[in-house]
């Protein structure tokens, strides 16, 4: 913050300089003027947050200075420094919206008290202004989201999502019962997602207590964990993948239909979420080490879950049994090597974990419809 001392007497300006604990109050620049005209020039160029001004000055009095400041639309705080203790003067000062006044000779304790009050008032107003700006931004984002869900454009919506988010997002609709008041919880969730760079929360303005949550792919489990730990309200939840923002309207319509048909689930408990997170870690492990020997027994020992639990939940998570999921990843990698490298088919089979070239060729043809040789020869087109 900046403060300006206006007085025609240098010694008074020096006294005020010495009295103020400026650094502790957050005042980073202290300016001086010897009359009202100099003060106005400084206000135009520096825009000080606080002005301490004498009343009785040549050329322009302190009250005349305040009148000029009001004409300029000055938004800071003015504190009058005067030797007059007169009600008529005080009424005029109040009418001109001065913040406070100090009597000469200035008492150190009185000065500290006024400085603390004015700094606190400026801080509270700044906080209130920030809250108003954030509320306006939140309302605008809700309007844009609602428009996009009902067929409008999605270009503006990108500004309210993480800048480094991949093209693929996950969309969740959270529906609350009409007697509940979820807005404060959703504002808190919005802040959490924005702070972590995971996504954002939007209110759907055409339906009461319906919120859309757009999150970076594969981050929902962490979001749901936060919701489970912070929101003690019944929630109906439906979810879908959003490969591109242009799909928003169709995905929203689909999820809204599922809610209307009561095809929703509840927020999982923390224990359930911990289990889901471990399955997600297993899927991630399989995606990374698919060329190694991955079996249910091995995963069971690594992640301390039963073979049956892994088998059941892995298929539910990926849509495929573990063996077919691994085979799919291997075949996709084989396609890349067949096109982009000169490795032999045997070598590719070995690198993918298959010791039997014939078995690999049979599996490759079963998945793609071509033998590895045919695929390499160009009979199959390009890698998917």
């Amino acid at each position: 913050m900046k403060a300006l001392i206006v007085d025609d007497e240098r010694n008074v300006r020096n006294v005020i300089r010495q009295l103020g604990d400026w650094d502790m109050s957050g005042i980073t620049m202290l300016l001086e003027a010897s009359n009202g005209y100099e003060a106005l020039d400084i206000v135009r160029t520096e825009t000080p947050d606080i002005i301490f001004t004498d009343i009785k000055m040549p050329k322009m009095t302190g009250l005349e200075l305040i009148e000029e400041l009001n004409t300029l639309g000055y938004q800071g705080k003015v504190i009058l420094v005067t030797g007059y203790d007169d009600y008529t003067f005080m009424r005029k000062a109040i009418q001109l919206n001065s913040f406070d006044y100090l009597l000469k000779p200035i008492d150190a304790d009185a000065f500290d008290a006024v400085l603390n009050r004015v700094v606190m008032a400026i801080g509270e107003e700044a906080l209130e202004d920030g809250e108003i700006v954030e509320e306006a931004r939140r309302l605008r984002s809700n309007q844009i989201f609602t428009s996009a869900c009902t067929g409008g454009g999605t270009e503006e919506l990108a500004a309210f999502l993480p800048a480094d988010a991949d093209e693929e997002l996950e969309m969740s609709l959270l529906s609350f019962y009409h007697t509940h008041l979820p807005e404060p919880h959703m504002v808190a969730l919005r802040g959490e997602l924005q702070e972590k760079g995971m996504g954002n929360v939007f209110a759907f303005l055409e339906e009461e207590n319906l919120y859309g949550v757009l999150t970076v792919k594969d981050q929902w489990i962490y979001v749901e964990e936060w919701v489970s730990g912070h929101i003690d309200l019944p929630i109906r939840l439906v979810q879908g993948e959003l490969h591109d923002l242009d799909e928003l309207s169709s995905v929203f319509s689909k999820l809204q239909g599922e809610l209307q048909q009561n095809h929703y689930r509840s927020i999982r408990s923390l224990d359930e979420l911990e289990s889901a997170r471990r399955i997600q870690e297993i899927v991630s492990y399989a995606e990374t080490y698919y060329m190694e020997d991955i079996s249910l027994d091995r995963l069971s020992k690594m992640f301390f879950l039963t073979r049956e639990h892994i088998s059941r939940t892995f298929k539910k998570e990926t849509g495929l049994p573990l063996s077919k999921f691994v085979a799919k990843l291997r075949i996709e990698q084989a396609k890349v090597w067949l096109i982009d490298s000169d490795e032999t088919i045997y070598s590719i089979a070995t690198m993918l974990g298959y010791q039997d070239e014939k078995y690999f060729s049979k599996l490759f043809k079963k998945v793609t419809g071509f033998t590895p040789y045919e695929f390499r020869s160009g009979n199959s087109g390009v890698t998917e």
Side-chain angles (χ1 to χ4, degrees), residues 56-330:
K56 189 177 180 181
M57 295 184 294
K59 300 182 181 180
M60 181 184 290
T61 68
L63 293 177
E64 290 171 337
L65 172 60
I66 297 178
E67 289 177 335
E68 289 294 325
L69 291 171
N70 289 340
T71 301
L72 291 174
Y74 175 68
Q75 299 297 310
K77 306 295 183 185
V78 179
I79 298 166
L80 294 168
V81 182
T82 179
Y84 302 101
D85 189 7
D86 184 274
Y87 175 73
T88 302
F89 152 73
M90 287 304 304
R91 184 173 61 183
K92 180 64 173 177
I94 291 171
Q95 290 173 346
L96 293 173
N97 295 321
S98 63
F99 178 80
D100 211 330
Y101 74 101
L102 289 164
L103 289 174
K104 294 180 180 178
I106 304 172
D107 177 76
D109 290 339
F111 185 87
D112 283 342
V114 169
L115 181 59
N116 288 335
R117 283 200 301 273
V118 70
V119 168
M120 184 176 296
I122 291 172
E124 289 174 351
E125 288 180 6
L127 180 61
E128 183 177 344
D129 289 344
E131 290 174 349
I132 291 172
V133 170
E134 176 57 29
E135 176 63 26
R137 178 175 168 82
R138 187 161 58 244
L139 175 59
R140 180 58 181 156
S141 72
N142 292 339
Q143 292 171 336
I144 292 171
F145 175 78
T146 302
S147 174
C149 288
T150 53
T154 60
E155 296 81 4
E156 292 183 84
L157 190 62
F160 297 93
L161 297 172
D164 57 348
D166 295 330
E167 291 186 1
E168 291 192 39
L169 298 167
E170 291 178 332
M171 183 175 185
S172 307
L173 293 187
L174 276 61
S175 175
F176 296 83
Y177 293 100
H178 289 244
T179 55
H180 295 152
L181 300 173
E183 179 65 15
H185 300 293
M186 293 295 96
V187 170
L189 176 58
R190 174 190 174 100
E192 179 73 11
L193 296 187
Q194 290 182 323
E195 181 182 344
K196 296 291 193 300
M198 289 182 177
N200 211 335
V201 177
F202 308 91
F204 183 65
L205 300 178
E206 294 188 4
E207 187 172 332
E208 186 179 3
N209 288 354
L210 181 63
Y211 294 83
V213 184
L214 298 183
T215 52
V216 177
K217 187 178 179 181
D218 297 329
Q219 295 298 315
W220 174 256
I221 191 170
Y222 301 97
V223 179
E224 190 171 349
E225 189 173 46
W226 187 93
V227 172
S228 180
H230 291 81
I231 302 179
D232 189 21
L233 292 175
I235 301 175
R236 291 170 288 184
L237 169 67
V238 289
Q239 293 179 294
E241 292 185 355
L242 195 63
H243 302 292
D244 189 281
L245 275 181
D246 290 338
E247 299 177 356
L248 184 70
S249 178
S250 59
V251 173
F252 174 82
S253 180
K254 174 179 176 294
L255 295 180
Q256 191 179 40
E258 290 179 5
L259 276 175
Q260 292 169 351
Q261 296 169 23
N262 293 325
H263 295 160
Y264 59 82
R265 69 173 177 85
S266 302
I267 296 294
R268 291 170 288 186
S269 68
L270 292 177
D271 287 343
E272 291 172 326
L273 287 167
E274 176 60 26
S275 177
R277 183 189 302 200
R278 291 167 74 182
I279 289 300
Q280 195 174 67
E281 290 172 353
I282 290 174
V283 174
S284 178
Y285 179 87
E287 290 174 334
T288 304
Y289 299 102
Y290 62 88
M291 286 186 283
E292 297 183 7
D293 178 25
I294 297 181
S295 65
L296 289 173
D297 285 333
R298 182 178 180 182
L299 294 176
S300 176
K301 293 175 182 177
M302 290 180 63
F303 292 93
F304 304 103
L305 295 170
T306 66
R307 295 173 73 261
E308 292 73 17
H309 180 75
I310 293 174
S311 177
R312 182 176 63 255
T313 53
F314 190 96
K315 184 175 181 180
K316 184 177 179 181
E317 181 75 17
T318 65
L320 293 172
L322 175 63
S323 59
K324 289 187 177 181
F325 183 83
V326 171
K328 181 176 179 293
L329 293 175
R330 289 178 174 181

Side-chain angles (χ1 to χ4, degrees), residues 23-84:
D23 290 338
M24 288 294 293
S25 300
I27 308 297
T28 57
M29 182 180 293
L30 198 55
L31 306 161
E32 290 187 20
S34 60
N35 60 64
Y37 290 107
E38 287 184 13
L40 288 173
D41 288 339
I42 292 174
V43 169
R44 291 187 182 99
T45 58
E46 298 293 342
T47 318
D49 304 278
I50 306 168
I51 297 176
F52 295 89
T53 182
D54 187 19
I55 292 297
K56 189 177 180 181
M57 295 184 294
K59 300 182 181 180
M60 181 184 290
T61 68
L63 293 177
E64 290 171 337
L65 172 60
I66 297 178
E67 289 177 335
E68 289 294 325
L69 291 171
N70 289 340
T71 301
L72 291 174
Y74 175 68
Q75 299 297 310
K77 306 295 183 185
V78 179
I79 298 166
L80 294 168
V81 182
T82 179
Y84 302 101

